[in-house]
Amino acid sequence: MDKCPCGLDAAYDTCCEPIIKGEKAAETAEQLMRARYTAYAKVETDFLRDSIHPDKRHTHDERQTQSWAAKSEWFNLEVVSTEKGGAEDETGRVEFIANYATKGEKARHHEMATFVKIDGAWYFDDGVGVVPETVVRQGPKVGRNDPCPCGSGKKFKKCCG
């Protein structure tokens, strides 16, 4: 079984391939998002172009997309959240993280993607990068030579640091 790159526990030929090949339409925004990730992994750039909102296709650079997809190693897709985007909706948002490597360097692409349905078909409309939240420390910073807060009696640098 050729497992689908989209992250669902399914075979490629029954999961994303029928959507990418145009044999069936994505029923939800998330399903289209997963198919688009899979299209990058399988270097199916025609589908990537065709699944963009028709008014925004002029922004798509086919050669650059083809080159980037082919030169990247695709590890996995994490769908963080979805907002609307169901079979009955006209719009939807999918927050996702795509993990990949280019030239051997690992990377994460974290995005909030918006989708719209036109005449019953879902299209990728826009995407905005998600900036990681700043973590604010609640207590004082533990120094390398301070006792470890776990209670081991060791210095922080030799224990949990």
Side-chain angles (χ1 to χ4, degrees):
M1 170 176 94
D2 184 18
K3 190 171 179 184
C4 193
C6 80
L8 297 178
D9 191 23
Y12 172 63
D13 64 352
T14 60
C15 190
C16 289
E17 185 178 40
I19 297 168
I20 292 170
K21 298 295 183 190
E23 297 165 6
K24 79 173 197 175
E27 296 173 15
T28 66
E30 180 180 339
Q31 199 174 44
L32 181 60
M33 178 65 248
R34 289 182 180 280
R36 284 180 55 80
Y37 172 84
T38 299
Y40 278 105
K42 297 282 188 178
V43 195
E44 294 281 357
T45 55
D46 289 345
F47 174 76
L48 291 168
R49 179 198 60 234
D50 295 345
S51 62
I52 295 173
H53 189 289
D55 293 344
K56 299 194 177 174
R57 285 191 190 143
H58 68 279
T59 64
H60 180 72
D61 184 334
E62 185 114 19
R63 286 191 308 192
Q64 183 181 21
T65 302
Q66 170 87 23
S67 175
W68 183 60
K71 291 178 181 176
S72 297
E73 181 181 1
W74 299 91
F75 300 123
N76 68 322
L77 172 70
E78 301 170 42
V79 174
V80 177
S81 67
T82 59
E83 182 181 310
K84 293 187 177 182
E88 308 303 317
D89 295 317
E90 297 297 315
T91 62
R93 292 170 34 133
V94 179
E95 182 181 352
F96 69 93
I97 300 170
N99 295 290
Y100 65 97
T102 302
K103 297 179 182 175
E105 193 170 318
K106 289 185 178 183
R108 291 170 43 105
H109 178 75
H110 192 170
E111 181 177 304
M112 177 63 80
T114 56
F115 297 86
V116 295
K117 193 188 287 185
I118 302 171
D119 297 328
W122 283 105
Y123 293 94
F124 169 72
D125 186 51
D126 198 8
V128 177
V130 176
V131 179
E133 286 186 31
T134 302
V135 177
V136 178
R137 190 181 325 277
Q138 298 299 320
K141 182 177 177 181
V142 178
R144 291 175 32 86
N145 291 316
D146 292 341
C148 190
C150 76
S152 68
K154 296 179 182 178
K155 288 183 179 182
F156 179 66
K157 68 181 179 185
K158 296 285 186 179
C159 190
C160 296

